Amino acid sequence: MAAGSEVPLNEVKFLTVAEVASVMRVSKMTVYRLVHSGHLPAIRVGRSFRVPEQAVHAYLRESFVGVDSA
């Protein structure tokens, strides 16, 4: 994100690992792997992680693989 387009923290919606897994239709372990590898940014709250909703959408957009209709 560019510095001028950052959303104020009080407007950021954070998702739990279980919520991210549900949105992405993967297991919670897959989400933990993405967080630990640095592919999906997250913050740690106690012993759990919270992932910004926009980060999930950005990850999915960047990871999209187009299929040729040839």
Side-chain angles (χ1 to χ4, degrees):
M1 248 190 233
S5 65
E6 287 188 22
V7 177
L9 281 179
N10 64 340
E11 295 179 16
V12 175
K13 181 177 179 189
F14 289 97
L15 303 175
T16 65
V17 168
E19 290 170 330
V20 174
S22 176
V23 167
M24 294 177 70
R25 310 240 353 180
V26 297
S27 71
K28 290 191 296 184
M29 185 54 63
T30 298
V31 177
Y32 283 117
R33 286 187 190 117
L34 289 170
V35 168
H36 287 293
S37 68
H39 289 95
L40 193 59
I43 60 167
R44 191 164 194 127
V45 179
R47 296 182 66 193
S48 60
F49 289 97
R50 297 293 184 268
V51 180
E53 184 177 37
Q54 285 305 111
V56 175
H57 294 297
Y59 175 80
L60 291 173
R61 270 193 304 277
E62 292 166 7
S63 299
F64 187 82
V65 176
V67 178
D68 291 334
S69 60

